[in-house]
Amino acid sequence: MSGGPKTAIVTGASQGIGAGVVAALLERGYRVVANSRNITTKGPFADSGQLALVDGDIGEASTAARVVETAVGRFGSVDALVNNAGIFSSKAFTDYTAEDFRSLVSTNLEGFLHVTQLAIKRMLAQKTGGSVVTVTASLADNPIAGLPAAVAMITKGGLNAVTRSLALEYAKDGIRVNAVAPGIVDTPLLKGVPQDFLKTLSPMGQVAEVRDVADAVLYLLEAPRVTGEVLHVDGGSHSGKW
């Protein structure tokens, strides 16, 4: 990377897409602060001077503060943020409970809000620009009748909307804000779900790998003229009926 090593924060980083993004960033020479509820005991990462681990619920403002403080204290800057922390539940609209909704809002929305506010404040103070990438969901743009998730998509669709708004708000400051909207990805969240069924949820008839999403995140983090983009990694399912 030009300009010397950069520091990236990754939330929801202990497994799946988040862990894949952390590994890809370390390969690219980034210094990384990785967060999840119990990442110091459950994370798959080897010890590294380029990696700091922070336990805690990112939906809590105090955790977000510790994450950003760790980035600044350990590595001296916040140059990139990957908002990957998120939960998903599929059920009929009328079966969602108030507790389901509170959990979705806490992790998916508050987990975005607190850390993104702090990261952008730091980027503004540094006056060197920055990049924010949020992992949302292809289902927010193209629902699938056989996979009902309307209430979960209230949060994911909201993240797509705020991505576009922030891209314009901070464009003049050199802070780019984008999103990656995956379809079906082979992660621990889908353990036990038949592969034949999962393949029917994509026009290409394939299940994406974690690296597919990590590559999209890296592209958006480093593409200097791309902002306000929602990049779908879903085998074409966002394009419509198949």
Side-chain angles (χ1 to χ4, degrees):
M1 293 179 299
S2 60
K6 298 186 185 300
T7 303
I9 292 169
V10 183
T11 68
S14 63
Q15 63 178 354
I17 292 170
V21 169
V22 170
L25 288 168
L26 291 171
E27 289 174 8
R28 292 281 291 162
Y30 282 81
R31 302 169 299 193
V32 180
V33 178
N35 158 260
S36 72
R37 292 174 188 267
N38 300 293
I39 197 166
T40 57
T41 57
K42 295 186 177 180
F45 312 110
D47 289 341
S48 168
Q50 299 298 100
L51 175 65
L53 306 178
V54 180
D55 287 331
D57 178 359
I58 198 62
E60 297 179 357
S62 59
T63 299
R66 286 192 293 109
V67 168
V68 173
E69 288 165 3
T70 298
V72 175
R74 175 85 173 265
F75 300 123
S77 66
V78 176
D79 305 295
L81 168 63
V82 180
N83 287 304
N84 174 70
I87 59 174
F88 173 82
S89 61
S90 173
K91 59 177 72 176
F93 175 70
T94 53
D95 290 340
Y96 280 97
T97 65
E99 182 55 36
D100 290 333
F101 183 66
R102 282 191 291 269
S103 295
L104 287 162
V105 168
S106 176
T107 301
N108 296 358
L109 295 184
E110 292 183 275
F112 166 89
L113 176 67
H114 302 310
V115 72
T116 305
Q117 285 182 319
L118 292 171
I120 288 178
K121 284 180 181 178
R122 180 66 193 182
M123 292 173 185
L124 290 170
Q126 292 168 182
K127 300 184 184 301
T128 54
S131 182
V132 177
V133 176
T134 300
V135 178
T136 65
S138 177
L139 282 174
D141 295 317
N142 191 71
I144 297 174
L147 191 63
V151 175
M153 290 309 106
I154 292 173
T155 63
K156 294 297 189 177
L159 293 174
N160 286 345
V162 75
T163 291
R164 297 185 179 99
S165 293
L166 293 178
L168 290 179
E169 185 172 347
Y170 292 105
K172 291 285 197 297
D173 300 293
I175 298 171
R176 297 178 301 102
V177 187
N178 295 288
V180 173
I184 303 302
V185 184
D186 187 12
T187 71
L189 291 176
L190 296 178
K191 184 178 180 179
V193 181
Q195 288 284 307
D196 288 344
F197 167 70
L198 293 176
K199 289 177 181 178
T200 69
L201 302 178
S202 163
M204 294 181 71
Q206 300 173 358
V207 177
E209 300 292 334
V210 165
R211 186 71 202 207
D212 298 325
V213 182
D215 286 346
V217 170
L218 281 176
Y219 165 70
L220 291 175
L221 283 178
E222 298 183 349
R225 303 293 178 267
V226 179
T227 194
E229 182 67 29
V230 178
L231 177 58
H232 293 80
V233 183
D234 62 1
S237 64
H238 69 283
S239 298
K241 186 176 180 179
W242 62 93

